[in-house]
Amino acid sequence: MLVGIMGGTFDPIHTGHLIAAERARVEAGLDEIWLMPANVPPHKSNAPKATSQQRWEMVCLAAEGNPFFRPIDIEITKGGVSYSIDTIELLRKEYPTTEFAYIIGADMVQYLPQWHRIDDIVRHIRFIGLARPGYELDIAHMSANIRSQVTIVPMPLVEISSTAIRQERGQKRSVRYLVPEVVNGYMEVNQLYEA
Ligand code: ATP
Ligand code: MG
């Protein structure tokens, strides 16, 4: 079985994440997509605005109804800073016969050479990279051990980010259709990202 892992802060999860996950599934022939919220993302200077529990609940809501999507909470359950290398080691132990690929947008592709212990990571996992507005999808300059583990698949440019959604909500503006309806409802009920 080949599983695509889509990690993220998901603060909140949005339609761009879901489109990227579905494109990766179809284009790379993945059997399942596991949506995996980070507990504390290593690369971000600001802490998430929503709690881990709230981000987890929104991921669960967003995955509902798609039989290929499965939320997984291993990074949240583990706690602390969510380094991919630790997660990969946990996954390999827990699912020894499953093959994993990480699904990442262009901003994370660009950042790959700086990932904590990237040379170890690329020994175990390959990456599926997708276009994102504002970021180059250029891997030609990366070292061969990294480059050879990245597959770029087609993705319609989707100009949606969690940052923009938080800002819109802070100004009491609608983000309907930028996130699944159920996620929009959850943010409303829990007054998430309101100023
Ligand atoms: P923030 O603005 O808070 O950083 P974000 O929208 O970038 O949020 P993340 O949770 O940081 O969302 O991203 C998780 C993963 O999803 C990353 O690999 C990122 O590149 C990818 N991703 C997010 N939005 C898009 C998009 N619109 N198109 C393609 N990939 C995306
Ligand atoms: Mg981001």
Side-chain angles (χ1 to χ4, degrees), residues 47-106:
K49 293 280 181 289
T51 65
S52 297
Q53 181 62 26
Q54 288 171 327
R55 293 182 293 110
W56 166 250
E57 284 172 10
M58 289 190 281
V59 167
C60 292
L61 290 170
E64 255 172 33
N66 186 330
F68 296 108
F69 287 7
R70 167 171 162 194
I72 78 157
D73 64 357
I74 47 169
E75 292 193 334
I76 285 177
T77 306
K78 178 173 175 288
V81 177
S82 308
Y83 291 108
S84 296
I85 188 69
D86 299 339
T87 305
I88 290 161
E89 276 162 11
L90 277 179
L91 286 170
R92 280 163 46 86
K93 226 173 270 162
E94 208 163 322
Y95 307 94
T97 61
T98 302
E99 194 190 332
F100 294 102
Y102 262 53
I103 301 165
I104 54 176

Side-chain angles (χ1 to χ4, degrees), residues 43-44 107-108 132:
H43 60 281
K44 288 192 174 167
D107 53 315
M108 284 294 118
R132 183 171 192 183

Side-chain angles (χ1 to χ4, degrees), residues 6 9-10 14 17 44 105 107 132 158 160-163 166:
M6 176 124 202
T9 314
F10 299 131
H14 56 66
H17 295 127
K44 288 192 174 167
D107 53 315
R132 183 171 192 183
V158 178
I160 302 177
S161 70
S162 302
T163 300
R166 293 192 301 271

